[in-house]
Amino acid sequence: MMTNLFSVFDPSTPYLLSCNWVSIIVSFSFLPLLLWVSPCRVNKGFLDLYTYLISEFKPLVNKLVYTLILPTTFFMIIMVGNTVGLLPYVFTYTSQLSMAASLALPVWVSMMMYGWINNTSNLLAHLIPLGTPSILTPFMVLIETISNLIRPLTLTVRLTANMVAGHLLIVLLSSANPAPMPLTPIIFVSNFTLLVLELAVAFIQAYVFSVLITLYMSEFSN
């Protein structure tokens, strides 16, 4: 029984037997098979998507093209987690702050370490945008420093908040049943429309997360 609106994100199994996280393994268990089976529509779809991502991200990191394996991998992880989480009785691990933070924080720390060790002058130059008046220089340095420090937080909250908001709307509309007979078709169409919208959000949020990671890498490497 749902005690409150946010209880849909609570584990549905005991603490010592938390099978919710098994959805991560189940989601990716079929992906390695795409490398071995004969060509099919699923295989072609993933290859076309991967090719599109490479073509989109490549202009952002001209010097370190091999680093694109990181944002494309994040895209696949988040996309699969978002879409599979729309299935009934499946745990949406991307709606948890711990999962999103485990993706954003290590990447940000590694990029900061790489940038300060190998490209210190470029990082310092990013603290003062070109054309900044001298009187505003201290304020711009402070603002840019805070902006760099909160990047893992913004990545985490953006992904989690969007997934939680969509799931809460679905739960709110679904809880309206049983509804009066005249309103049943309207609620059904609304649920279906919201589900399609949430499916689009699942891809968009994965793409936004990957693009931001690529932009951050370009700042630390160029």
Side-chain angles (χ1 to χ4, degrees):
M1 180 178 179
M2 187 174 64
T3 57
N4 58 73
L5 192 59
F6 289 91
S7 63
V8 294
F9 302 102
D10 295 338
S12 57
T13 53
Y15 178 75
L16 296 178
L17 187 63
S18 184
C19 297
N20 289 313
W21 296 103
V22 177
S23 61
I24 301 177
I25 303 175
V26 173
S27 301
F28 287 93
S29 60
F30 65 92
L31 291 181
L33 299 178
L34 300 177
L35 302 176
W36 303 103
V37 298
S38 58
C40 60
R41 292 184 179 180
V42 177
N43 192 359
K44 186 178 184 303
F46 274 97
L47 290 178
D48 291 343
L49 180 59
Y50 182 78
T51 303
Y52 173 77
L53 292 175
I54 293 296
S55 63
E56 286 289 319
F57 297 160
K58 188 175 180 180
L60 300 177
V61 285
N62 294 323
K63 295 182 179 179
L64 302 175
V65 181
Y66 59 87
T67 58
L68 291 180
I69 190 174
L70 187 63
T72 52
T73 302
F74 280 160
F75 178 87
M76 293 298 179
I77 292 175
I78 298 174
M79 180 199 68
V80 173
N82 292 346
T83 53
V84 173
L86 294 175
L87 298 175
Y89 305 105
V90 177
F91 179 63
T92 309
Y93 54 85
T94 51
S95 65
Q96 304 296 305
L97 284 172
S98 58
M99 179 63 185
S102 65
L103 295 177
L105 187 59
V107 175
W108 177 81
V109 172
S110 60
M111 287 190 300
M112 288 292 293
M113 293 177 61
Y114 175 86
W116 284 110
I117 294 174
N118 299 291
N119 207 355
T120 306
S121 59
N122 189 39
L123 286 182
L124 293 175
H126 276 87
L127 296 179
I128 306 176
L130 187 64
T132 302
S134 300
I135 191 173
L136 296 179
T137 298
F139 299 100
M140 293 304 300
V141 171
L142 179 61
I143 293 173
E144 290 296 328
T145 302
I146 296 175
S147 176
N148 287 330
L149 292 178
I150 66 173
R151 280 177 176 178
L153 178 62
T154 56
L155 286 173
T156 301
V157 173
R158 180 184 291 108
L159 175 60
T160 303
N162 281 279
M163 298 312 300
V164 169
H167 282 67
L168 288 179
L169 288 176
I170 294 176
V171 172
L172 284 173
L173 285 178
S174 300
S175 62
N177 293 325
M181 184 61 65
L183 297 179
T184 301
I186 299 177
I187 294 177
F188 176 79
V189 173
S190 300
N191 278 327
F192 180 78
T193 305
L194 184 59
L195 185 61
V196 174
L197 178 62
E198 190 65 14
L199 183 62
V201 170
F203 283 85
I204 293 173
Q205 289 305 312
Y207 182 78
V208 169
F209 191 96
S210 303
V211 167
L212 291 176
I213 289 294
T214 307
L215 291 174
Y216 296 160
M217 287 192 303
S218 65
E219 291 184 7
F220 293 113
S221 59
N222 292 338

